[in-house]
Amino acid sequence: MALVIGAIIVIAALSLAVMLSKGRSAKRKYIVWGITTMLPVAFVFSWLVALLYGDWVAHDGFAALGLLMILMPLFFLTGVILLLIGLFMKEK
């Protein structure tokens, strides 16, 4: 049940980001996608992937925790980079 709720959160966040960035400038798109990647996607999606990997593939909770510790900062830094590109991009 927790996996379904997490998937719904990620899908809702991604669809909201698509709606907010549709028809906008590239600067606004980078800002919206950076915030979306940092907040809901980084935490919930990395938790989902780590939980699925730890439970179904490795059958070990420590593998899930290790993967979570790798994925969360990776997604968060990707979101920070997208946000900074959007903040410092010059509009034409």
Side-chain angles (χ1 to χ4, degrees), residues 32-71:
V32 167
W33 281 101
I35 292 171
T36 303
T37 304
M38 282 187 335
L39 298 177
V41 173
F43 298 115
V44 178
F45 185 70
S46 60
W47 175 75
L48 279 173
V49 170
L51 191 64
L52 288 173
Y53 176 77
D55 193 28
W56 291 354
V57 177
H59 305 290
D60 186 18
F62 288 111
L65 184 63
L67 188 61
L68 184 69
M69 291 173 62
I70 292 170
L71 288 178

Side-chain angles (χ1 to χ4, degrees), residues 5-42:
I5 293 172
I8 290 171
I9 291 171
V10 170
I11 291 170
L14 292 176
S15 60
L16 182 66
V18 167
M19 287 190 304
L20 288 176
S21 64
K22 190 174 235 180
R24 306 291 183 186
S25 66
K27 180 177 178 139
R28 169 98 183 238
K29 286 181 184 181
Y30 277 117
I31 292 172
V32 167
W33 281 101
I35 292 171
T36 303
T37 304
M38 282 187 335
L39 298 177
V41 173

